[in-house]
Amino acid sequence: MPKLFAPPATTWAMDGREVDLLHYIYSRPDVKELRGNPHKVLVAIDEYVDKHQVLMNIGATKGAFISDLIAARKPSTMIELGGYVGYSAILFGDAVRAHGGKQYLSIENNPEMAAVANQLLDLAGLRDFVRIIVGSSDESLEELIEQKKIDRIELIFIDHWQELYLPDLWLLEQLDVLVPQTSVFVADNIIMPGAPKYLKWVEATPEQKREMLAGLDVGTRRPDPSWVYETQVSKFDTTWGKDAVAVTKVVGRQ
Ligand SMILES: C[S@@+](CC[C@H](N)C(=O)[O-])C[C@H]1O[C@@H](n2cnc3c(N)ncnc32)[C@H](O)[C@@H]1O
């Protein structure tokens, strides 16, 4: 029967390998030892990648860098855009919980990926702490804010499709949830495949952004160029090649 609703599979993701990962994990002889142990679940996912097929999870190096950021900022709520099989949700959800946080919200628009992530989070003992929201990042963020489930951005991990990074940041700018000296955005895959428009925006001054807006198609978004950001790009060698993570702090308005 043809798939009518599922997004097209690629040669490197969403071709059945994510469900295969679940079978691999749940058929391991040591599966009972994984229960309630986020670290062991992550090691088991890494072993699947080493022995079987690649998965687009945040790697160990970039993962450790972001975990350090969580330890430093201790967010009460952390949000991620793009959950995939839940690797980063397990790693960062565990870190947020360990540092006294309240919740980790992971927005994933593919229900199949969300189902896989929920099973792995359940195994890791994080199902009560990490909530997977099935939906597109923009609509889900709007809903969370409208329903007052979040009233500010503390730490947001941006890791869905790179062309959505900037429109989703513009959405946050217009929804009045950015707080100077509090809000931080962490964007992955800055070099590979790259998010040049996003990077240009978060590195620009308000004056430069006002000039940029004249030549930009912003669709229905209402970007706010008055926000002052401070962005640091950290480069990493990953199994896929060279990449970078951009950490942007909201400084104030001008
Ligand atoms: C790179 S993967 C995320 C990897 C994950 N953060 C990790 O490190 O384990 C990107 C994910 O973003 C999801 N995605 C793509 N567009 C999205 C959107 N508009 N809203 C929510 N999720 C989206 C894809 O389905 C995919 O699962």
Side-chain angles (χ1 to χ4, degrees):
M1 204 168 87
K3 283 185 173 178
L4 295 175
F5 303 106
T10 69
T11 52
W12 44 269
M14 301 184 186
D15 55 356
R17 70 185 64 198
E18 295 82 9
V19 174
D20 193 50
L21 165 72
L22 268 192
H23 285 288
Y24 166 81
I25 301 265
Y26 277 89
S27 61
R28 284 173 65 111
D30 64 348
V31 66
K32 284 197 179 124
E33 289 161 37
L34 269 50
R35 198 159 282 290
N37 189 323
H39 174 69
K40 283 191 178 169
V41 174
L42 293 174
V43 171
I45 301 174
D46 288 338
E47 283 173 8
Y48 176 85
V49 172
D50 286 344
K51 292 184 193 150
H52 300 283
Q53 309 193 71
V54 294
L55 296 167
M56 49 179 174
N57 306 327
I58 188 94
T61 335
K62 290 188 287 180
F65 172 79
I66 298 170
S67 296
D68 286 348
L69 189 68
I70 293 168
R73 302 210 66 95
K74 299 181 180 48
S76 163
T77 294
M78 180 165 170
I79 301 172
E80 87 176 355
L81 309 184
Y84 192 45
V85 298
Y87 190 99
S88 53
I90 294 173
L91 181 61
F92 302 148
D94 187 36
V96 171
R97 184 174 64 174
H99 289 94
K102 205 175 67 189
Q103 60 178 345
Y104 190 95
L105 304 174
S106 174
I107 302 174
E108 168 57 52
N109 71 345
N110 183 319
E112 232 177 317
M113 299 306 116
V116 171
N118 268 328
Q119 284 313 311
L120 294 175
L121 283 157
D122 190 57
L123 186 62
L126 280 158
R127 193 68 190 273
D128 292 339
F129 192 81
V130 178
R131 188 171 147 225
I132 307 277
I133 297 159
V134 183
S136 67
S137 48
D138 52 355
E139 283 178 15
S140 306
L141 281 168
E142 272 185 288
E143 238 173 75
L144 283 168
I145 294 163
E146 250 171 49
Q147 295 171 358
K148 306 213 179 311
K149 292 192 173 131
I150 50 170
D151 62 356
R152 55 168 55 191
I153 296 297
E154 294 175 72
L155 191 52
I156 184 163
F157 175 47
I158 307 176
D159 192 25
H160 50 347
W161 296 155
Q162 287 67 41
E163 64 274 20
L164 300 176
Y165 285 20
L166 185 54
D168 282 355
L169 171 56
W170 284 341
L171 182 69
L172 295 176
E173 288 180 344
Q174 83 189 45
L175 289 176
D176 198 25
V177 284
L178 302 186
V179 182
Q181 311 302 330
T182 296
S183 304
V184 175
F185 326 128
V186 185
D188 191 20
N189 304 124
I190 286 300
I191 293 180
M192 200 181 48
K197 288 181 185 161
Y198 172 87
L199 193 59
K200 202 169 168 199
W201 186 261
V202 291
E203 287 186 327
T205 63
E207 293 73 28
Q208 289 167 332
K209 286 188 279 188
R210 285 184 188 105
E211 279 170 30
M212 279 159 67
L213 274 179
L216 274 179
D217 176 10
V218 299
T220 54
R221 296 284 190 269
R222 286 179 282 113
D224 183 346
S226 70
W227 286 108
V228 180
Y229 299 138
E230 202 176 86
T231 297
Q232 213 168 5
V233 175
S234 301
K235 295 189 176 153
F236 299 92
D237 282 316
T238 75
T239 41
W240 300 75
K242 288 203 182 308
D243 199 6
V245 170
V247 177
T248 299
K249 295 179 183 163
V250 176
V251 175
R253 287 186 113 144
Q254 191 181 295

